[in-house]
């Protein structure tokens, strides 16, 4: 512990008598996230809730500022809530909460800055434990920092806001190599803040990979957000109970499935098909990565298998590997099996009477609700076996689309998953509202790609809800999604670009900031490894906007555009410094929606001119508008210009 943080606590003797963290065995119980080693937000008021015997007088005392205390009676349910003003940065301190009998003692407590870090997998991505972040070994080896404290909230869901949150690692821990299975961005941000501010820093890792924003949004804050009426109605109808929600979900699924009954195409399942309706797809493999990008629905696939005379009339075993999600499988026109798990391999017995010499036809009706769709195992998993001999089936299969789910209402969201509206806020964020924090760091959005129009108001409502529940407009700094997927020069319909634009719309709210990460991505990895730079950019926002430090935290933005003489001229609110002096990443479009890559040149250090021989009269310009774009614009400090569109 650096000397500047050290203090001699008057109540350490009580901590020793209580045997360290006494919360579990004390008559007075505190939330799981109030433990030894915690950091309290300096110069604030912390609420200490808990339970004790009904009617008993409970007192909380802390040995800072000469000793402060607060008392209250536990109510009829044994609940109490005590408030303590916190000191300026320092420590270690001790907090004692007692009913006069067995105290709950929190020792080695620091006062400093506390930041809540949340979102999906890119915020969850730990220093160690997954594929490693950049320079992971060095980060781990140098992670002994007792002035940095880490709290990791355990993954959990709830249909109602909880009073307590489950935790990993036993609660708060000092930063050390053994604790680096922790959000890399959160830890690296804390390291930067400690170095810059010279005070203890606590970071809370409340994350869950693959989760959508609606799961992190309070129930009361979906006003103005279309698309969640069924789920919110189900919560209300069930009185927020699991049993009622499951019953209501099953009813809605049955109703949705009835809508599938008329969706199909008529053909002879025992005959290979051809014609305009039929194409070919590589199998095995997810069809969203080949011929049906982004498709959820019903697809028929077919394959012929040539069998010798020795196989005729003998029982056959059909192996397909996993099929995403549901299948009904036919052999020579007769149904031989069906399955409904996206991850389970299929193995269907085919009676000998269906097996003939020569060409045999396998037809499979596949229903895909989400994910990649199709026959998704390996080539070795896909074969038929007769009389001990295998006949491989990998290669091109016939296919035709029977039904596109985009023409139907959305499939009901599972009430027992981590993506159902409100469930992560209720279990992992709401309990923490009693604990003051300086601000929020947020990295999420991948799970909402494809729903950009909905995400814009949803994200703003999430921020509004978190703040309202705390009763404070705390800083909310978020990361805009990095580049990912196949690079394309011209992609005006990019769903990833649209989602990034929806993220940026949250900047209309006060006390928000966006760390641009478009240049840090990788086309083949949704989890870019340079978490250090992401944390640094979030840190610049905090240092400048929250702590008043003189630093540049964002690149210039486009503030004006003009179209004339077949060109567009864009003006920015600061000096630009394109990499290698070359401006790339722009596309321009005309009034008919035609787009082309633009030739760009600098007219001044804050002005760019765009043109293309393919667009005679441009009216719109877009920058870095693609899943994985190639833009070169940065500000003078090297921070990237955020993706934008003059028509958005």
């Amino acid at each position: 512990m650096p000397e500047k943080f050290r203090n001699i606590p008057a109540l350490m003797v009580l901590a020793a008598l209580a045997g360290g963290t006494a919360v579990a065995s004390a008559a007075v119980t505190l939330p799981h996230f109030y433990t030894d080693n915690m950091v309290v937000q300096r110069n604030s008021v912390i609420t200490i809730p808990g339970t004790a015997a009904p009617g008993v007088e409970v007192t909380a005392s802390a040995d800072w500022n000469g000793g402060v205390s607060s008392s209250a009676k536990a109510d009829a349910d044994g609940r109490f809530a005590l408030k303590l003003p916190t000191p300026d940065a320092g420590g270690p301190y001790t907090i004692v909460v007692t009913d006069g009998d067995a105290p709950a003692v929190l020792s080695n407590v620091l006062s400093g800055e506390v930041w809540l870090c949340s979102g999906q997998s890119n915020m969850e991505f730990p220093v160690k434990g997954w594929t490693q972040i950049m320079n992971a070994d060095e980060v781990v080896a140098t992670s002994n920092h007792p002035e940095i404290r880490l709290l990791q909230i355990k993954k959990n869901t709830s249909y109602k806001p909880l009073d307590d949150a489950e935790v990993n690692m036993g609660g708060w821990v000092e930063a050390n190599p053994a604790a680096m299975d922790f959000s890399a961005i959160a830890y690296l941000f804390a390291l930067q803040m400690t170095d810059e501010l010279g005070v203890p820093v606590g970071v809370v890792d409340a994350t869950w990979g693959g989760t959508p924003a609606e799961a992190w949004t309070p129930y009361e804050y979906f006003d103005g957000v279309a698309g969640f009426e069924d789920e919110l109605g189900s919560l209300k109808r069930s009185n927020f109970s699991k049993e009622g929600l499951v019953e209501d979900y099953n009813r809605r699924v049955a109703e949705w499935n009835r809508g599938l009954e008329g969706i199909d195409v008529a053909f002879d399942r025992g005959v290979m098909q051809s014609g305009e309706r039929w194409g070919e797809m590589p199998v095995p493999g997810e069809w969203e990565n080949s011929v049906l990008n982004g498709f959820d629905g019903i697809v028929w696939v077919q394959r012929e298998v040539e069998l010798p005379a020795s196989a005729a009339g003998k029982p056959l075993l059909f192996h397909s590997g996993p099929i995403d999600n549901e299948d009904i499988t036919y052999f020579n026109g007769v149904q031989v099996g069906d399955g409904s798990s996206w991850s389970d391999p299929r193995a269907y017995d085919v009676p000998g009477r269906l097996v003939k010499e020569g060409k045999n036809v396998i037809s499979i009706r596949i229903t895909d609700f989400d994910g990649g769709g199709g026959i998704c195992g390996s080539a070795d998993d896909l074969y038929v076996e007769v009389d001990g001999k295998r006949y491989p089936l990998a290669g091109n299969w016939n296919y035709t689309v029977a039904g596109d789910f985009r023409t139907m209402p959305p499939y009901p969201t599972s009430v027992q998953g981590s993506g159902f509206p409100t469930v992560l806020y209720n279990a992992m964020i709401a309990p923490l509202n009693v604990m003051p924090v300086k601000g929020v760091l947020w990295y999420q959005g991948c799970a909402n790609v494809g729903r950009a129009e909905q995400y814009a108001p949803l994200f703003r409502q999430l921020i509004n809800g978190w703040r309202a529940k705390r009763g404070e407009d705390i800083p909310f700094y978020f990361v805009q999604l990095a580049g990912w997927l196949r690079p394309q020069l011209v992609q005006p319909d990019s769903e990833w670009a649209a989602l990034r634009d929806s993220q940026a719309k949250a900047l209309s709210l006060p006390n928000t900031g966006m760390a641009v990460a478009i240049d840090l991505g990788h086309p083949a990895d949704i989890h870019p490894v340079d978490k250090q730079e992401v944390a640094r950019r979030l840190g610049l926002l905090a240092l400048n906007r929250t702590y008043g430090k003189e630093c540049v935290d964002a690149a210039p933005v486009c503030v004006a555009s003009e179209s004339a003489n077949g060109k567009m001229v864009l003006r920015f609110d600061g000096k630009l410094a394109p990499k290698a002096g070359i401006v790339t990443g722009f596309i321009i479009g005309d009034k008919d929606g035609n787009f082309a890559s633009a030739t760009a040149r600098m007219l001044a250090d804050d002005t760019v001119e765009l043109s293309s021989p393919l667009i005679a009269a441009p009216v719109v310009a877009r920058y870095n508008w693609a899943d994985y774009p190639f833009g070169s614009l940065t500000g003078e400090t090297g921070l990237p210009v955020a993706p934008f569109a003059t028509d958005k």
Side-chain angles (χ1 to χ4, degrees), residues 547-635:
Y547 297 112
K549 301 285 186 179
E550 288 289 337
C551 61
V552 176
D553 62 22
V557 299
C558 181
V559 292
S561 65
E562 296 180 355
S563 302
N565 303 318
K567 297 179 180 180
M568 288 198 71
V569 176
L570 309 182
R571 185 169 57 82
F572 291 75
D573 64 356
K575 292 182 179 180
L576 300 171
K579 296 176 183 177
I582 300 172
V583 181
T584 60
F586 280 100
I587 61 175
I588 52 176
D590 60 23
K591 63 181 180 59
D592 297 320
N594 302 305
F595 281 86
S597 179
T599 299
R601 68 187 185 98
M602 300 290 297
L603 297 183
D605 58 16
D606 64 350
T607 307
V608 180
E609 180 188 77
L610 308 173
S611 63
S612 169
L614 301 177
I615 305 295
V619 296
V620 56
R622 297 182 183 179
Y623 174 69
N624 264 352
W625 197 273
D627 297 345
Y628 187 88
F630 299 91
S632 63
L633 283 185
T634 67

Side-chain angles (χ1 to χ4, degrees), residues 189-202:
F189 174 87
L191 189 62
Q192 181 183 4
M193 292 301 101
T194 301
D195 289 343
E196 293 285 346
L197 303 175
V199 301
V201 175

Side-chain angles (χ1 to χ4, degrees), residues 239-393:
N239 196 28
F240 305 90
S241 71
K242 180 178 180 179
E243 296 76 13
L245 278 162
V246 170
E247 181 180 346
D248 195 68
Y249 171 74
N250 290 336
R251 177 191 60 77
R252 290 188 293 119
V253 168
E255 182 178 298
W256 193 91
N257 284 333
R258 283 194 292 272
L260 297 183
E261 293 173 0
I263 299 178
D264 215 335
V265 289
F267 69 94
D268 188 338
R269 294 5 176 182
V271 176
M272 286 294 289
Q273 302 297 307
S274 61
E276 291 184 0
R277 287 187 58 95
W278 292 82
E280 290 188 342
M281 72 166 62
V283 176
E286 297 179 344
W287 64 47
E288 290 198 15
N289 292 329
S290 57
V291 297
L292 295 171
N293 183 37
F295 179 83
D296 294 326
I298 301 172
V299 175
W300 279 95
V301 297
Q302 288 188 310
R303 172 70 186 237
E304 284 183 330
V305 56
E306 186 95 15
L307 297 176
S310 60
K314 294 182 178 178
L316 175 148
L317 188 61
F318 167 65
H319 285 269
S320 71
I323 297 179
D324 184 17
N325 294 98
E326 297 180 352
D327 73 288
I328 303 175
T329 298
Y330 297 78
F331 193 91
N332 285 332
V334 178
Q335 182 177 335
V336 294
D338 60 80
S340 59
S341 169
W342 66 270
S343 59
D344 289 345
R346 311 302 202 259
Y348 299 139
D349 292 311
V350 178
R353 62 183 174 80
L354 300 179
V355 182
K356 63 184 181 181
E357 177 186 359
K359 294 180 178 179
N360 294 258
V361 178
I362 299 169
S363 299
I364 308 176
R365 183 181 190 264
I366 302 176
T367 303
D368 176 47
F369 302 107
D370 53 23
I375 300 173
C376 303
S378 68
D380 292 339
D381 296 328
L382 186 57
Y383 60 90
V384 295
E385 184 174 350
V386 188
D387 204 20
K389 184 176 180 181
R390 292 186 176 185
Y391 299 85
L393 297 174

Side-chain angles (χ1 to χ4, degrees), residues 510-535:
N511 213 9
T512 56
M514 183 174 74
V516 178
I518 192 68
D519 58 324
L520 302 177
H522 190 286
D525 191 353
I526 199 171
H527 300 123
V529 299
D530 190 357
K531 302 304 185 194
Q532 286 87 339
E533 181 61 16
V534 176

Side-chain angles (χ1 to χ4, degrees), residues 16-337:
L17 292 175
T21 302
V23 175
S25 60
V28 171
T29 61
L30 305 181
H32 287 88
F33 51 89
Y34 277 14
T35 70
D36 290 349
N37 308 311
M38 74 180 295
V39 178
V40 296
Q41 176 60 43
R42 60 174 170 167
N43 302 318
S44 67
V45 177
I46 188 170
T47 299
I48 304 177
T51 59
V56 73
E57 185 85 10
V58 182
T59 300
S61 302
D63 58 342
W64 55 63
N65 296 343
V68 295
S69 65
S70 174
S71 297
K73 278 190 176 182
D75 65 17
D77 295 322
R79 298 177 179 273
F80 65 84
L82 303 167
K83 294 183 180 296
L84 288 177
T86 63
D88 201 354
Y93 298 108
T94 301
I95 301 173
V96 177
V97 184
T98 181
D99 60 357
D101 187 9
V105 181
L106 310 180
S107 60
N108 196 28
V109 174
L110 300 181
S111 183
E113 297 296 282
V114 182
W115 286 81
L116 172 57
C117 307
S118 188
Q120 57 181 114
S121 56
N122 269 300
M123 183 62 86
E124 181 183 357
F125 202 104
V127 175
K128 66 176 184 180
W130 295 7
T131 54
Q132 292 197 334
I133 67 166
M134 189 173 68
N135 302 324
D137 291 343
E138 178 184 353
V139 174
V140 172
T142 58
S143 63
N144 279 304
H145 289 281
E147 71 277 17
I148 295 175
R149 305 295 172 83
L150 314 175
L151 175 66
Q152 190 173 69
I153 304 300
K154 188 175 181 179
K155 294 174 182 176
N156 191 22
T157 62
S158 175
Y159 304 116
K160 296 179 180 179
L162 299 180
D163 294 328
D164 197 2
E166 299 181 41
V167 297
N168 296 324
M169 301 187 292
W172 289 88
V173 297
E174 297 181 352
N176 70 90
M180 287 297 104
D181 185 14
F182 188 89
S183 167
I185 290 174
Y187 166 69
L188 293 165
F189 174 87
L191 189 62
Q192 181 183 4
M193 292 301 101
T194 301
D195 289 343
E196 293 285 346
L197 303 175
V199 301
V201 175
V203 279
V204 182
D205 173 357
T207 56
W208 195 326
T211 55
E214 58 266 26
W216 297 96
T217 303
Y219 174 79
E220 303 91 342
Y221 285 84
F222 283 87
D223 288 348
V225 185
F228 300 108
E229 294 81 5
D230 288 344
E231 291 86 351
L232 298 174
S234 185
L235 281 165
K236 188 173 183 179
R237 285 191 300 272
S238 67
N239 196 28
F240 305 90
S241 71
K242 180 178 180 179
E243 296 76 13
L245 278 162
V246 170
E247 181 180 346
D248 195 68
Y249 171 74
N250 290 336
R251 177 191 60 77
R252 290 188 293 119
V253 168
E255 182 178 298
W256 193 91
N257 284 333
R258 283 194 292 272
L260 297 183
E261 293 173 0
I263 299 178
D264 215 335
V265 289
F267 69 94
D268 188 338
R269 294 5 176 182
V271 176
M272 286 294 289
Q273 302 297 307
S274 61
E276 291 184 0
R277 287 187 58 95
W278 292 82
E280 290 188 342
M281 72 166 62
V283 176
E286 297 179 344
W287 64 47
E288 290 198 15
N289 292 329
S290 57
V291 297
L292 295 171
N293 183 37
F295 179 83
D296 294 326
I298 301 172
V299 175
W300 279 95
V301 297
Q302 288 188 310
R303 172 70 186 237
E304 284 183 330
V305 56
E306 186 95 15
L307 297 176
S310 60
K314 294 182 178 178
L316 175 148
L317 188 61
F318 167 65
H319 285 269
S320 71
I323 297 179
D324 184 17
N325 294 98
E326 297 180 352
D327 73 288
I328 303 175
T329 298
Y330 297 78
F331 193 91
N332 285 332
V334 178
Q335 182 177 335
V336 294

